[in-house]
Amino acid sequence: MCGIIGFSGTADTKDVILGGLKRLEYRGYDSAGIAILNNDKINMVKTSGKVDQLIELAKKNDSLTGSCGIGHTRWATHGVPSDVNAHPHMSSDGKFAIVHNGIIENYIEIKNELTRKGVKFLSDTDTEVIVQLLDYYYDGDLKKTLVKVSSMIEGSYALGVLCTDFPNTIYVAKVSSPLLIGVGVGENYFASDITAFINKTKNVIDLDDGEFAEITANKVFIFDSKLKEIKKQERKVTWDVTAAEKSGYEHFMLKEIMEQPASLKATIEPRIKDNKISFEELNIDIKKYDRILITACGSAYYAGCVGRDIIEKVCNIPVYTEVASEFRYRNPIIDEKTLVIAISQSGETADTIAAIKEAKSKSSDVVAIVNVVGSAIAKLADYTIYTWAGPEIAVATTKGYTTQVAILYMFAIWAAHKLEKINDDTFASLTKDIKSLPERAQRTLDLNTRVKKLADKYYEKKSVFFIGRYLDYAVCLEGSLKLKEISYIHSEAYPAGELKHGTIALIEKGRLVVAVCCYEPLLDKIISNIQQVKARGAQVLALAVEGNKKIFTESDDVLLVPKTNELFMAVMEIIPLQLFAYYVAKKNGCDIDKPKNLAKSVTVE
Ligand code: F6R
C-alpha cells in the first residue's frame, strides 16, 4: 500500500525521486520521504502529509544532492502517520537507509531480540527492524547481509537500501510486494510501479519473489539467495507516458471515466476473431467444471457479481461469489471441478492473493482477470486474462471495473458456446452486442453535463440509497461504493424488493434514492418499489434505458442511457453513477483522486 522508488544516475536525483513519488502517491499518501547518498553520507528528509509537503521541505534542503537515492510514500499500517514513522528509516549510525513496501509479520520478535541486544528503536514501524538488522549483522559484505536479513524477516517486502560503503549503488529485495527495475541509458531505477519512471524509460525488468538486485547507473546485477547471478529478460512497456498523466483533466478519476470507451475497445477488440470471441490465453476445458466461484474485493467483487448473473444465465452453470477477504475463513467447498475466477485491477490485493492460494490448495483451477501486467496475481493464477485498461491512477476504480465487466461478459458467452448452450448464430450476435459497448459507452458519456447538474442539486444529501433488481442491483453495489468512497456520503445499495424488509424505515422526506431501472423485464417491479419510497417522501433519481417514457412520471429526475442487449447494460449504467459520485465529491470539496483512509492497492489483510 506504499510506493517506493530509487534512482542511480547523473540526473538530479532529488528531482527524479520527488517526481516519481508524485506519480506513486496514489499508492499511499499519509507521509513521504526521500534519502540521497552523497559519497559517504546519507541525507534524508521525511514528513507526515502528502508528497507536496515533502517537495516543499526538500526544496529548502541543500544537502539533498548525490547520484543515488530512494523515496517512499506511505499508507500507514504499523504506527500512526508521523514524521518519525515516515520512511526512509535509517540505522542509528547513519550507515543505512531503507524504504519498504509490505509488512514484516515477525517484527515484534525481532524488535524484542534486538532491543535486548542494546539496539535503540526510534519508530513504531515494522520496517525499522530491517534497517536495524542490516546494521547489526553487516560485516562489509552487503549482498550477503541482505540475503541473511531477508531470511530472518517474514511477511511481504519490496526493499530499497542505501549504504554509505557503496556510493552510487542501491540494493533491492522482493517477496510478495511488487518491485520493478527500470533500465535506462546511464541511469537505472527501481519502483513499485512503472508509473514512477515511465517518463524516463519503458524498459523494465520484473523482479520475482526471492530475488535481489544491485543497481548502479550503468549496471543491474540480479542475484538469488546463494548470491548467484540471475539473467532476466527486459520487457518494453507499451503504453505512453500520457497514460499516467492527467492530460488536462482536473482529476485522474475524470480522465479515467472518459477513457472508458477506449479502454473497453482495447479489452474487447483484440479478442474478437471472425466475429466470435476467442481467449487465446484460456487453455481450459470448460466442460470439466460443475461450478464457478468468483472471488475479489471491493469494486472487483462487484464486477464479479455482474459476471455471476450473466454466466449463470447464459451457461446454466452454478456461479457463486465470495468476497476474497472471507474466502479462506469459510473453508469453501471447492475442488478440481470448480473453476475459480479471481478479479483484481492491481493484481496485488493481499486478500485476493490469499483466496487464490486457498483455491489452488484445494485443486481448483484459477483464472485471474487482471489489469497490471506481470503483477503477483497474474503470476500466481493458472490462467490470466488481462483487461488492458492502461494504468489506473485514481484510487476509486472506473475503467478498471468496466473492463473487468467486459471480460466477464466475453467469458460468459465464450463459455456458453463451448458448453453448447448457445449456437453459432447466437454466439455471433452476442459478440456483436459486446463489440458495440465502446460506442455505447461513448454515447453514455454525453450525459456528463446533465449528471453534473444533478450533482449540483443533490450534493448536500447526507445519506443515499441505491436500489435495483437482479443485474441492476449488482450495478447499485458499485454505484453506491463510488459515491461513499470519494464523497464520504453515507450510501447503501439494496435489492429494491428487500428494502421493505427493514431498511425502508430509513426512507423519509427528502432522502435520495437512486433507482437503477435498466433491466426491462423487471421494470414494473422496480417501479412499484419506487412508488413505495416516494410514498415515504423520498426523492428519486432514476436511471433507465432510452425510450422509457413511463419512468418520468414516477421519478423526480431521470437519466436515460443508450440501449443495448439487456444482459450487457451494466457498463452503461455505471458510467453516469461514476460521474455522479465524481461531481458530488467535487462539489463537496473532497480530494477525489486520494480519498481519505484509502490507497490504490490493498496489500495488507
Ligand atoms: C474501489 C476500489 C476498490 C478495489 C479493491 C480491489 O473504487 O478501487 O474497492 O476494487 O480494493 O482492488 P483490486 O482490483 O486492485 O484487487
Side-chain angles (χ1 to χ4, degrees):
M1 320 254 299
C2 304
I4 60 175
I5 177 173
F7 167 76
S8 181
T10 49
D12 184 331
T13 305
K14 177 157 81 174
D15 273 5
V16 173
I17 305 270
L18 293 174
L21 286 180
K22 206 59 202 136
R23 289 164 186 274
L24 283 176
E25 199 176 15
Y26 70 98
R27 298 181 67 90
Y29 32 87
D30 60 43
S31 41
I34 176 170
I36 296 185
L37 176 56
N38 192 346
N39 295 321
D40 57 355
K41 189 165 176 3
I42 298 172
N43 295 301
M44 179 171 81
V45 174
K46 53 186 193 167
T47 178
S48 56
K50 299 219 163 116
V51 172
D52 281 341
Q53 268 161 267
L54 178 70
I55 292 175
E56 278 311 305
L57 288 174
K59 258 197 230 156
K60 293 182 213 139
N61 191 312
D62 296 333
S63 74
L64 285 175
T65 54
S67 55
C68 176
I70 52 178
H72 188 274
T73 177
R74 178 172 188 244
W75 188 89
T77 55
H78 297 74
V80 294
S82 67
D83 294 1
V84 172
N85 288 336
H87 298 216
H89 289 281
M90 244 197 218
S91 55
S92 347
D93 55 6
K95 188 180 263 304
F96 294 95
I98 67 159
V99 286
H100 166 221
N101 175 28
I103 290 201
I104 304 305
E105 283 158 9
N106 58 340
Y107 84 102
I108 293 185
E109 293 94 296
I110 297 173
K111 193 168 179 173
N112 290 342
E113 182 62 28
L114 288 176
T115 307
R116 264 197 300 280
K117 289 174 170 161
V119 175
K120 296 258 180 303
F121 281 81
L122 294 175
S123 76
D124 304 317
T125 64
D126 53 336
T127 300
E128 196 185 347
V129 300
I130 308 172
V131 76
Q132 300 293 11
L133 281 172
L134 283 170
D135 201 31
Y136 190 82
Y137 287 105
Y138 180 61
D139 57 2
D141 184 338
L142 184 49
K143 290 209 255 323
K144 213 170 91 203
T145 314
L146 186 58
V147 168
K148 181 182 172 77
V149 168
S150 300
S151 72
M152 300 171 79
I153 53 180
E154 286 163 20
S156 57
Y157 50 88
L159 286 182
V161 180
L162 297 179
C163 173
T164 51
D165 287 351
F166 299 91
N168 311 322
T169 312
I170 313 168
Y171 290 85
V172 298
K174 170 192 151 46
V175 169
S176 301
S177 289
L179 197 150
L180 310 157
I181 295 170
V183 184
V185 179
E187 55 184 33
N188 289 312
Y189 305 79
F190 82 85
S192 17
D193 189 325
I194 304 161
T195 47
F197 53 72
I198 184 72
N199 56 333
K200 306 286 183 187
T201 178
K202 290 184 172 188
N203 298 326
V204 167
I205 298 174
D206 297 295
L207 215 61
D208 283 311
D209 284 355
E211 293 179 347
F212 304 81
E214 181 182 56
I215 303 170
T216 57
N218 296 307
K219 190 154 189 249
V220 175
F221 176 79
I222 300 170
F223 56 100
D224 65 12
S225 59
K226 307 233 164 9
L227 306 182
K228 239 183 87 204
E229 182 172 8
I230 305 172
K231 295 270 183 220
K232 300 207 75 164
Q233 285 281 336
E234 275 178 34
R235 70 179 162 96
K236 205 169 185 83
V237 177
T238 48
W239 43 269
D240 201 64
V241 61
T242 51
E245 288 172 347
K246 283 192 203 154
S247 313
Y249 285 97
E250 193 177 345
H251 296 99
F252 277 111
M253 183 175 177
L254 187 59
K255 175 179 178 247
E256 287 159 9
I257 291 173
M258 297 300 173
E259 276 172 357
Q260 287 177 109
S263 54
L264 284 163
K265 201 164 179 220
T267 307
I268 296 168
E269 284 202 348
R271 296 188 167 102
I272 299 184
K273 307 255 152 68
D274 299 328
N275 298 322
K276 300 207 180 83
I277 284 158
S278 104
F279 280 111
E280 275 159 20
E281 57 275 74
L282 265 193
N283 186 17
I284 55 172
D285 174 12
I286 193 77
K287 292 186 177 158
K288 172 177 146 192
Y289 308 105
D290 61 13
R291 74 176 86 174
I292 294 177
L293 195 145
I294 302 179
T295 188
C297 298
S299 296
Y301 174 76
Y302 297 148
C305 294
V306 176
R308 172 197 58 210
D309 292 349
I310 308 283
I311 298 168
E312 241 174 26
K313 192 167 183 96
V314 296
C315 297
N316 196 28
I317 178 171
V319 186
Y320 303 91
T321 48
E322 183 69 61
V323 170
S325 55
E326 291 293 316
F327 189 89
R328 57 202 183 281
Y329 303 118
R330 288 196 66 231
N331 194 18
I333 303 170
I334 54 172
D335 54 24
E336 68 285 351
K337 287 189 165 176
T338 314
L339 179 66
V340 171
I341 300 181
I343 310 171
S344 175
Q345 187 285 128
S346 64
E348 281 180 45
T349 304
D351 287 318
T352 311
I353 290 175
I356 294 173
K357 288 183 177 160
E358 176 77 15
K360 290 182 82 164
S361 77
K362 295 190 162 173
S363 311
S364 299
D365 290 337
V366 178
V367 172
I369 299 174
V370 177
N371 191 35
V372 177
V373 174
S375 55
I377 291 178
K379 287 182 182 155
L380 189 60
D382 300 299
Y383 307 93
T384 296
I385 306 177
Y386 285 114
T387 46
W388 296 326
E392 194 179 62
I393 312 286
V395 165
T397 183
T398 51
K399 61 178 183 171
Y401 168 87
T402 42
T403 52
Q404 288 161 354
V405 169
I407 293 284
L408 289 160
Y409 287 163
M410 288 194 282
F411 175 85
I413 66 164
W414 171 86
H417 187 247
K418 294 257 179 242
L419 292 166
E420 294 158 42
K421 301 289 176 194
I422 54 172
N423 62 25
D424 285 355
D425 289 348
T426 313
F427 189 28
S429 123
L430 290 171
T431 301
K432 200 168 156 215
D433 290 339
I434 291 176
K435 200 175 171 193
S436 74
L437 288 176
E439 176 268 323
R440 299 282 200 283
Q442 188 64 59
R443 280 210 283 128
T444 310
L445 286 169
D446 292 345
L447 288 169
N448 188 24
T449 314
R450 168 120 180 84
V451 176
K452 188 169 183 301
K453 283 203 180 106
L454 290 172
D456 289 348
K457 176 173 173 184
Y458 289 121
Y459 76 101
E460 287 172 309
K461 295 290 176 196
K462 297 283 173 265
S463 176
V464 180
F465 285 81
F466 287 73
I467 60 168
R469 307 194 73 126
Y470 186 46
L471 283 164
D472 291 343
Y473 166 60
V475 178
C476 287
L477 292 163
E478 173 61 4
S480 167
L481 176 61
K482 281 287 88 75
L483 182 68
K484 73 184 111 189
E485 70 180 328
I486 60 167
S487 72
Y488 320 137
I489 292 172
H490 165 254
S491 86
E492 287 187 49
Y494 260 83
E498 184 64 15
L499 215 55
K500 59 188 175 297
H501 297 289
T503 313
I504 202 159
L506 295 173
I507 302 296
E508 57 186 21
K509 191 165 181 311
R511 179 76 75 227
L512 177 61
V513 174
V514 178
V516 181
C517 318
C518 298
Y519 187 67
E520 297 206 308
L522 293 177
L523 189 61
D524 288 344
K525 303 285 174 200
I526 183 119
I527 284 184
S528 98
N529 300 131
I530 290 176
Q531 287 162 351
Q532 289 156 11
V533 294
K534 290 279 308 165
R536 285 150 186 91
Q539 281 177 289
V540 172
L541 163 58
L543 207 67
V545 179
E546 268 170 7
N548 185 335
K549 297 209 171 61
K550 203 168 169 188
I551 200 73
F552 284 88
T553 53
E554 305 292 344
S555 324
D556 296 86
D557 291 290
V558 177
L559 287 166
L560 293 179
V561 296
K563 192 177 178 70
T564 185
N565 186 316
E566 69 202 17
L567 292 180
F568 306 136
M569 284 302 298
V571 167
M572 268 67 69
E573 291 170 27
I574 197 60
I575 289 173
L577 300 184
Q578 293 166 342
L579 287 167
F580 185 69
Y582 173 80
Y583 287 117
V584 166
K586 190 167 170 213
K587 194 81 186 155
N588 280 303
C590 302
D591 190 349
I592 293 176
D593 284 338
K594 296 191 267 302
K596 69 178 178 204
N597 303 340
L598 300 180
K600 184 71 181 161
S601 46
V602 186
T603 52
V604 294
E605 188 179 337

